[in-house]
């Protein structure tokens, strides 16, 4: 078990798993009534709950409650990238690199497609995808559409289930 994570028994003593969220099992104060949804949405967009004097991301507690401890070095990834969707089928174990691959498109992306950029010197579209800290070139293309197809294929080959293709394409 990772240091600092509560056990399934400790979580079950305080919360009830309601599929998408946690519910208070017992009344702790006027603010925490038995049967009410636990937590609040933090500034980072994750549902946060308080337990044992600490704040935890609800998806981590739900994972532990359903599956046991989170292995060292692993994270919990939201398959559909929705930080509030904590359904069991939407949560999976991931390495930090896999979790990063399944992120939303970066705000500085000007083409609207991950891995596709305009190569100024060649005056053509280029494809480049990062894998394990290294850039993998996917080729140079005359049309944006052909570069998009190539980028999606390359992302699928390099990132497999963490490519994000089934959700946004």
């Amino acid at each position: 078990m990772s240091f600092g994570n509560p056990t399934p028994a400790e979580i079950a003593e305080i919360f009830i798993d309601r599929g998408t969220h946690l519910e208070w099992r017992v009344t702790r104060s006027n603010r925490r009534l038995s049967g009410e949804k636990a937590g609040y949405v933090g500034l980072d967009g994750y549902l946060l709950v308080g337990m044992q004097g600490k704040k935890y991301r609800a998806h981590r507690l739900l994972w532990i409650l359903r599956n046991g401890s989170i292995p060292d070095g692993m994270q919990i990834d939201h398959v559909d990238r929705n930080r509030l969707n904590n359904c069991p089928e939407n949560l999976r174990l991931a390495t930090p690199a896999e979790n990063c691959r399944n992120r939303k498109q970066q705000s500085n992306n000007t083409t609207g497609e991950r891995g596709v950029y305009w190569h100024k010197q060649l005056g053509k579209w280029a494809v480049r995808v990062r894998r394990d800290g290294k850039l993998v070139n996917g080729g140079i293309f005359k049309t944006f559409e052909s570069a998009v197809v190539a980028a999606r294929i390359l992302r699928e080959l390099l990132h497999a289930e963490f490519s994000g293709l089934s959700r946004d394409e």
Side-chain angles (χ1 to χ4, degrees):
M1 179 172 74
S2 295
F3 177 74
N5 284 331
T7 66
E10 291 171 326
I11 298 168
E13 187 177 308
I14 299 171
F15 300 108
I16 300 170
D17 180 352
R18 290 297 184 207
T20 59
H21 64 278
L22 292 167
E23 188 176 279
W24 294 108
R25 182 175 293 282
V26 294
T27 298
R28 296 279 180 180
S29 67
N30 289 338
R31 296 180 323 174
R32 298 178 181 167
L33 301 175
S34 176
E36 286 189 352
K37 186 175 180 179
Y40 61 95
V41 179
L43 295 176
D44 60 0
Y46 288 101
L47 184 62
L48 301 172
V49 293
M51 178 181 167
Q52 300 172 338
K54 293 182 176 181
K55 291 179 187 171
Y56 294 94
R57 289 180 173 168
H59 66 277
R60 293 181 60 81
L61 296 183
L62 284 162
W63 179 272
I64 294 167
L65 193 56
R66 295 168 184 158
N67 304 291
S69 65
I70 300 169
D72 288 337
M74 298 297 281
Q75 299 177 348
I76 306 303
D77 178 47
H78 288 83
V79 175
D80 70 358
R81 301 184 192 138
N82 177 351
R83 294 175 175 184
L84 297 176
N85 182 358
N86 294 317
C87 294
E89 60 275 5
N90 192 48
L91 300 179
R92 62 183 170 190
L93 281 175
T95 65
E98 289 168 336
N99 201 2
C100 188
R101 289 180 200 131
N102 191 37
R103 69 177 186 257
K104 291 183 179 179
Q105 184 169 271
Q106 292 182 289
S107 61
N108 64 351
N109 182 311
T110 58
T111 67
E113 181 69 28
R114 292 187 302 165
V116 176
Y117 68 99
W118 180 251
H119 195 295
K120 291 179 186 178
Q121 290 85 355
L122 297 177
K124 294 181 181 180
W125 294 99
V127 171
R128 189 169 56 191
V129 176
R130 187 173 297 277
R131 168 67 190 226
D132 298 330
K134 297 178 182 173
L135 288 173
V136 177
N137 290 313
I140 305 295
F141 302 88
K142 289 182 182 179
T143 67
F144 176 73
E145 293 77 17
S146 56
V148 167
V149 170
R152 291 178 183 180
I153 291 170
L154 185 58
R155 286 197 334 258
E156 183 68 30
L157 286 171
L158 296 176
H159 300 161
E161 67 181 285
F162 293 92
S163 67
L165 293 176
S166 62
R167 289 163 300 286
D168 60 4
E169 278 80 27

